[in-house]
Amino acid sequence: MKKINPLSLSHLILKNQIKPGDTVVDATVGNGHDTLFLAQLVKTGKVIGFDIQENALKKAQALLDENLRDASNVHLIQSSHENISDYIKTEITAVIYNLGYLPGGDHSIITKFEPLVRSLISAIQLLKPKGIVSIMSYRGHTGNEYSQLLSYVTHLKQDQIDVYQVSALNQKGLPAELFILQKK
Ligand SMILES: C[S@@+](CC[C@H](N)C(=O)[O-])C[C@H]1O[C@@H](n2cnc3c(N)ncnc32)[C@H](O)[C@@H]1O
């Protein structure tokens, strides 16, 4: 038996939707764990990853090189995820966001609400019908975007996108939450 948490549920949903050959996006590459997960799902498809920190992308590239026979279909870009539509012109199946700071890195560099929203608007436009956006949102650090994000996704238009929230209801503190969006 495996332990369930919001991130494992995110991966379960993505695994169910992503097929070999698909193009998918990791909007917050960080140490590259989600990027590797996506690359293993799309196989010969394409993964495009964004992070603003060079050291994150270097760590992620090392993880990919260590674990994939051929990482040439994974493209890591040092740029904010708000610029997603400058780099991607084709339909995508899924986008994953894992918000907050880089584990093991500079905790003062965090994702911010305004660029996130600009990114979400572009990502949703690029998504194919039934495409998925997965957002892991953390509430424990100063300056986190959780409340603004909750309000934003709650008000997305029902005829365009479905919005789901996964919350740990009986955990102490401020556990991370998962938002899953599915384009109509
Ligand atoms: C929680 S970490 C991501 C963890 C990662 N998915 C993994 O599997 O290791 C959040 C990352 O978002 C990055 N980030 C912050 N603002 C960003 C932005 N505007 N665009 C892209 N990445 C950003 C940070 O540099 C950090 O590496």
Side-chain angles (χ1 to χ4, degrees):
M1 297 289 281
K2 287 184 187 162
K3 168 120 179 63
I4 289 175
N5 58 38
L7 184 61
S8 73
L9 291 173
S10 154
H11 282 197
L12 206 61
I13 291 164
L14 291 169
K15 199 172 171 180
N16 192 48
Q17 301 289 335
I18 296 171
K19 301 280 173 283
D22 284 351
T23 298
V24 299
V25 174
D26 186 347
T28 52
V29 168
N31 292 318
H33 299 289
D34 295 320
T35 320
L36 175 61
F37 168 74
L38 293 174
Q40 288 165 336
L41 293 180
V42 299
K43 298 187 192 296
T44 54
K46 209 189 259 187
V47 183
I48 301 151
F50 294 87
D51 204 292
I52 50 175
Q53 297 193 68
E54 188 185 7
N55 61 325
L57 295 177
K58 279 187 179 158
K59 276 193 192 172
Q61 191 63 60
L63 185 77
L64 296 169
D65 292 339
E66 235 172 71
N67 290 282
L68 296 174
R69 206 178 308 151
D70 177 10
S72 61
N73 57 334
V74 183
H75 305 278
L76 300 184
I77 299 167
Q78 188 181 352
S79 179
S80 170
H81 43 224
E82 71 203 287
N83 301 321
I84 184 169
S85 58
D86 293 345
Y87 294 93
I88 304 173
K89 304 293 175 194
T90 54
E91 270 194 335
I92 55 180
T93 305
V95 188
I96 188 166
Y97 294 82
N98 197 333
L99 303 178
Y101 53 77
L102 178 66
D106 182 344
H107 288 199
S108 71
I109 303 173
I110 55 172
T111 50
K112 300 216 167 73
F113 178 67
E114 288 78 11
L116 172 63
V117 166
R118 286 195 284 275
S119 176
L120 282 171
I121 291 168
S122 296
I124 291 167
Q125 271 170 5
L126 289 166
L127 273 187
K128 58 185 183 191
K130 306 281 188 291
I132 300 284
V133 179
S134 166
I135 312 171
M136 279 296 305
S137 179
Y138 302 87
R139 299 185 276 164
H141 60 284
T142 310
N144 73 77
E145 65 280 81
Y146 171 77
S147 302
Q148 289 165 293
L149 176 62
L150 175 62
S151 168
Y152 179 76
V153 295
T154 302
H155 293 99
L156 286 172
K157 290 201 168 68
Q158 197 187 344
D159 59 343
Q160 291 168 15
I161 198 150
D162 292 321
V163 179
Y164 301 95
Q165 179 181 11
V166 176
S167 316
L169 294 181
N170 66 343
Q171 276 184 21
K172 290 191 186 120
L174 296 167
E177 289 200 1
L178 169 67
F179 297 101
I180 294 286
L181 283 48
Q182 184 174 38
K183 192 167 174 174
K184 293 283 186 178

